[in-house]
Amino acid sequence: MSIINKALKANQTFAKKYDRKLGAHPAPKIVVVTCMDPRLSDLPGILGLPIADIDVIRTGGPAVTEDVLGELVVSTRVLGSKEIMLLNHTGCGFTTFTDDELNAKLSASTGDASPAPMHFFSYKDTEQNTREQIKNVRSHPWIAKEVPVRGFVFDMETGLIREVQQVAQDAAA
Ligand SMILES: [Zn+2]
């Protein structure tokens, strides 16, 4: 059986004990931007917050793209999230290649270079990536100044998250 078909079958069981109150409307208190990496899927566990309190935006890296910025605006301006958390992690798959390398590899292996250059948002330095994210989000005119924007790195070895401080020149800019 395919994984999707197996999941559809499991959903029948899930629906029997589903909390129907969740069907009313979303009421997130915090919005978390994190990587697509499956090891970051248990955000309620990692952060000790109820599922219903967390708006989750996931991209590879994570990359703070124009789409992500739009979602952060909706989460804070429309849905009511009060804080923004940017959650990076150690051992990210997006540090294992460069965009140039992956574009070249896929163009060669598929024999079709027409999608290149695809923007995969690969990066090398997790701390630097986090600082750039904070800067991108903080500088967006539609993200309210009173909404905290904080960046973190989840350590895959220990399960602990640590905060990434903005560098001095960014704070002064
Ligand atoms: Zn990752």
Side-chain angles (χ1 to χ4, degrees):
M1 201 191 310
S2 83
I3 297 170
I4 291 176
N5 286 341
K6 209 171 153 188
L8 290 174
K9 197 157 177 278
N11 172 253
Q12 302 288 319
T13 310
F14 169 82
K16 287 183 186 130
K17 48 187 175 138
Y18 176 68
D19 178 4
R20 286 165 187 257
K21 288 196 297 293
L22 290 173
H25 55 81
K29 295 187 169 73
I30 180 173
V31 51
V32 179
V33 181
T34 196
C35 187
M36 63 198 262
D37 191 306
R39 298 171 293 177
L40 287 158
S41 292
D42 183 18
L43 286 177
I46 291 170
L47 303 175
L49 296 169
I51 290 175
D53 286 3
I54 320 171
D55 254 357
V56 184
I57 303 172
R58 298 184 75 166
T59 59
V64 175
T65 62
E66 277 302 302
D67 290 347
V68 169
L69 287 168
E71 288 149 10
L72 287 173
V73 167
V74 171
S75 186
T76 56
R77 294 274 181 187
V78 181
L79 302 176
S81 290
K82 300 281 183 254
E83 300 183 32
I84 296 173
M85 185 175 194
L86 307 167
L87 186 58
N88 289 254
H89 68 104
T90 60
C92 185
F94 283 74
T95 61
T96 62
F97 55 85
T98 67
D99 279 27
D100 285 348
E101 283 164 9
L102 193 54
N103 273 291
K105 186 177 169 185
L106 293 172
S107 297
S109 66
T110 63
D112 187 346
S114 64
M118 197 169 220
H119 198 168
F120 296 107
F121 298 93
S122 63
Y123 66 96
K124 287 295 168 208
D125 184 323
T126 308
E127 304 258 330
Q128 184 56 29
N129 198 43
T130 308
R131 283 192 290 269
E132 281 165 18
Q133 293 165 353
I134 298 170
K135 200 173 168 185
N136 283 348
V137 175
R138 185 73 285 169
S139 61
H140 198 284
W142 287 353
I143 300 291
K145 294 300 166 224
E146 57 270 27
V147 171
V149 179
R150 295 169 63 182
F152 299 84
V153 176
F154 178 84
D155 187 327
M156 286 295 173
E157 304 290 323
T158 63
L160 291 168
I161 54 176
R162 66 169 192 278
E163 186 154 16
V164 174
Q165 301 299 336
Q166 268 294 42
V167 286
Q169 64 262 34
D170 283 348

